Amino acid sequence: MTQELLTPDTPAGAVLVVDFGAQYAQLIARRVREADVYSEIVPHTMPAAEMLAKKPAAIILSGGPSSVYAAGAPVLEEAVVTAGVPVLGICYGFQAMSRALGGGVAQTGQREYGETTATVQVEDSVLFAGQPAQQVVWMSHGDAVDHAPQGCRVTASTPGAPVAAFEDRERRLFGVQWHPEVLHSAHGQAVLVNFLRDGAGIEPTWTSGNVVEQLVEDIRARVGEDRVICGLSGGVDSSVAAALVQRAVGKQLTCVFVDHGLLREGEAEQVEQDFVAATGVDLVVVDARERFLSALAGVSDPETKRKAIGREFIRVFEQAARDIVQAHDGQHGGDPDDHPVKWLVQGTLYPDVVESGGGAGTANIKSHHNVGGLPDDLQFQLIEPLRSLFKDEVRQVGLELGVPESIVWRQPFPGPGLGIRIVGEVTGERLEILRRADAIARAELTAAGLDRDIWQCPVVLLADVRSVGVQGDGRTYGHPIVLRPVSSEDAMTADWTRLPYDVLARISSRITNEVPDVNRVVLDVTSKPPGTIEWE
Ligand code: XMP
């Protein structure tokens, strides 16, 4: 497949977040966006000249895992801090900056880790103006700056770091030893905003309205008059990507929704009716429910199930794509004024781009998220309109475009759907049981106002397990349903959510009363690791 990228080179005026190798760079970039300023992550190995050629409005140096004295520790080129671009150094970046400017970093041999209290200079400082003089901050460092570079004033201290922040307003250089990007730092966002607005003089123009406008222009310029297809899954990313492309090129877009029968109650309708009504997209729905059920008959092993679902999905999607191309190109093929179906929309997000090895120049196809990925020989070029956005921005863009809230705020749901939430063979009857139990759990969580407190709550049918129960006058021999509510930031790790007992009680009693063949509801109290979020 030809991979073309929609995102142009970094626009001038971006804030560059230099990644020194810790896990904080993404978080910093997000916080900058939350302050309505566009940011991009660049690796610390990028030469200073290349960073400066991007004409950044400011540079933020992230934390990193190493001591500046460790062999092979990332080095900061002096040019980054002397080019006249406003700079904020954070943690490792603060120390690297201090050294580059001639300040001192001492190997204290002591670690300061976790929450501590910083005493900050409120009067006459840029970073701490308008904040309390004592504030809780989150630290994670061994070495410490022991004297600030010439021209820089010390503006904060903590018990473990006498020089915990400095600034030179003239040269627009700022640094903090702690992590303002983490929520444990009580005034962290205010520190970042003060840097961006007052330190660097950047206007807050990265708003969802502007983002939509800019992305729509980019798509139009790229696609021209060609035709585009997009696979819809009912999830947030593909829906918002489709809505954006629809806004940009209208009827040139055709969406394909494969109904594999493994969706939750109301989801197919959400796409077929609500989404179409809200966006006006041309939608082709392929009813492939029977086909998927046949492919899953007799299959209990989770990996075999996933493969079967992935395989069928690709076949159905390919066929639909061919049909669209044929219907269109066949009809208009000889017409010189007409345009071929040339583009395929993908809902790739910025974290996928960063995790797959970097921004510009790296194409990444979200195979995991597309039920096994699309085949290599699909003859389309890719448009990835969301590849510069974080998830929360995608949601904002979705709202801006009028995508229904029920889709915009959807929790993550695996591509293979309920197929992997039935432990055991998937049958039509079992899907029906699980769909009903899941609908009850979702309705009660929504009624209790808990949707945005939990990351997701898989509801699982243990189809291969039966146990004895008693209902009415009789003995039953039914299946258990597992509730798996989890709290998470990114699904890489998760904790089980402490749901209120009364909510759990309502879910349990409704499921056992209303869903035939289910006589127990159990709660999964395992974190990830060691458990995964899904059961499979
Ligand atoms: P696990 O079970 O690995 O899940 O802890 C991590 C996150 O990934 C989701 N998930 C999937 N999402 N296609 C997807 O789009 C898939 O095949 C898939 N499998 C798991 C899961 O719901 C959780 O959010």
Side-chain angles (χ1 to χ4, degrees):
M1 188 183 313
T2 315
Q3 295 172 346
E4 283 201 30
L5 308 174
L6 183 70
T7 316
D9 289 338
T10 313
V15 169
L16 295 186
V17 178
V18 181
D19 183 357
F20 277 110
Q23 69 274 41
Y24 298 109
Q26 272 205 40
L27 204 48
I28 297 171
R30 263 177 58 190
R31 299 286 181 244
V32 172
R33 306 262 191 111
E34 282 165 18
D36 297 335
V37 173
Y38 182 69
S39 61
E40 272 189 20
I41 299 166
V42 296
H44 67 83
T45 48
M46 180 180 278
E50 207 177 310
M51 290 181 201
L52 297 170
K54 289 175 176 288
K55 304 206 179 323
I59 294 177
I60 299 182
L61 311 170
S62 86
S66 5
S67 158
V68 285
Y69 294 108
V75 182
L76 175 68
E77 279 184 70
E78 199 184 316
V80 173
V81 285
T82 54
V85 175
V87 178
L88 172 67
I90 292 176
C91 193
Y92 182 90
F94 172 60
Q95 297 174 6
M97 175 182 192
S98 177
R99 285 193 86 193
L101 291 165
V105 176
Q107 283 180 291
T108 58
Q110 284 175 353
R111 279 180 66 74
E112 195 180 19
Y113 182 83
E115 285 181 10
T116 183
T117 300
T119 304
V120 307
Q121 197 171 312
V122 178
E123 302 298 323
D124 199 30
S125 87
V126 170
L127 294 189
F128 309 115
Q131 297 162 32
Q134 302 275 319
Q135 48 182 273
V136 173
V137 300
W138 199 80
M139 285 286 205
S140 170
H141 68 110
D143 301 341
V145 173
D146 60 1
H147 64 269
Q150 210 172 12
C152 293
R153 279 188 316 110
V154 177
T155 51
S157 61
T158 68
V163 183
F166 60 60
E167 58 186 61
D168 177 346
R169 195 180 285 204
E170 289 284 291
R171 287 186 291 168
R172 301 191 296 177
L173 301 174
F174 305 84
V176 282
Q177 179 58 62
W178 65 86
H179 288 275
E181 71 277 18
V182 306
L183 295 176
H184 308 281
S185 293
H187 298 275
Q189 186 64 8
V191 169
L192 289 175
V193 168
N194 281 358
F195 166 68
L196 295 167
R197 304 273 193 278
D198 302 329
I202 302 173
E203 293 294 325
T205 54
W206 180 255
T207 57
S208 44
N210 292 344
V211 173
V212 167
E213 215 171 284
Q214 197 179 318
L215 293 176
V216 161
E217 266 173 39
D218 288 347
I219 297 167
R220 280 195 190 129
R222 193 66 185 276
V223 167
E225 312 216 341
D226 298 328
R227 296 192 52 88
V228 188
I229 63 169
C230 174
L232 280 182
S233 68
V236 187
D237 305 344
S238 68
S239 303
V240 174
L244 254 178
V245 176
Q246 150 72 19
R247 173 71 62 94
V249 299
K251 292 289 173 202
Q252 287 163 243
L253 170 71
T254 307
C255 289
V256 180
F257 173 59
V258 177
D259 183 355
H260 52 28
L262 307 170
L263 292 170
R264 303 191 286 182
E265 200 171 282
E267 282 181 339
E269 291 76 12
Q270 244 173 34
V271 176
E272 288 179 54
Q273 294 158 23
D274 305 357
F275 184 70
V276 172
T279 59
V281 298
D282 271 344
L283 180 68
V284 173
V285 179
V286 186
D287 181 354
R289 289 177 293 180
E290 282 305 319
R291 181 179 178 141
F292 277 83
L293 270 185
S294 313
L296 288 168
V299 181
S300 296
D301 173 67
E303 274 311 299
T304 316
K305 257 190 218 173
R306 278 180 174 277
K307 289 208 175 84
I309 296 169
R311 192 180 55 234
E312 293 307 310
F313 185 88
I314 287 168
R315 286 194 188 142
V316 175
F317 186 83
E318 268 188 313
Q319 188 55 50
R322 271 197 299 269
D323 289 348
I324 292 168
V325 171
Q326 244 175 20
H328 179 80
D329 295 354
Q331 210 176 349
H332 304 267
D335 183 348
D337 288 337
D338 199 48
H339 300 275
V341 183
K342 193 171 153 194
W343 300 91
L344 174 69
V345 182
Q346 288 270 303
T348 314
L349 306 195
Y350 192 52
D352 305 316
V353 174
V354 174
E355 272 150 29
S356 72
T362 316
N364 168 55
I365 302 173
K366 267 170 91 173
S367 55
H368 179 65
H369 292 247
N370 279 306
V371 207
L374 294 169
D376 289 339
D377 56 358
L378 260 187
Q379 292 304 314
F380 298 107
Q381 291 182 301
L382 285 187
I383 310 180
E384 301 179 296
L386 311 178
R387 61 178 282 127
S388 62
L389 303 186
F390 288 104
K391 191 85 173 186
D392 39 359
E393 294 176 310
V394 170
R395 293 203 156 107
Q396 290 309 319
V397 164
L399 292 174
E400 185 78 27
L401 290 165
V403 175
E405 295 219 0
S406 53
I407 293 179
V408 166
W409 292 110
R410 267 195 68 175
Q411 291 166 352
F413 184 65
L418 299 182
I420 58 163
R421 290 189 179 167
I422 292 175
V423 179
E425 188 189 350
V426 176
T427 66
E429 200 182 322
R430 289 171 170 185
L431 281 168
E432 205 41 49
I433 293 174
L434 180 54
R435 241 192 296 273
R436 291 179 70 174
D438 175 81
I440 292 170
R442 279 197 293 153
E444 290 299 335
L445 290 173
T446 304
L450 291 166
D451 284 343
R452 300 207 195 156
D453 295 340
I454 51 176
W455 170 263
Q456 65 188 123
C457 179
V459 175
V460 180
L461 172 66
L462 301 186
D464 285 347
V465 178
R466 278 184 182 274
S467 70
V468 174
V470 57
Q471 233 159 351
D473 297 331
R475 175 185 180 282
T476 58
Y477 195 46
H479 300 289
I481 282 282
V482 180
L483 303 176
R484 174 69 168 137
V486 291
S487 307
S488 177
E489 285 267 329
D490 52 11
M492 304 294 284
T493 59
D495 195 9
W496 59 281
T497 310
R498 276 58 167 178
L499 289 180
Y501 282 171
D502 57 334
V503 176
L504 289 168
R506 266 198 306 279
I507 295 174
S508 166
S509 94
R510 279 197 59 197
I511 290 178
T512 47
N513 278 320
E514 297 173 34
V515 185
D517 250 0
V518 173
N519 61 357
R520 280 176 206 276
V521 173
V522 301
L523 178 67
D524 184 346
V525 292
T526 320
S527 60
K528 172 185 177 176
T532 51
I533 294 176
E534 303 292 343
W535 269 52
E536 315 206 18

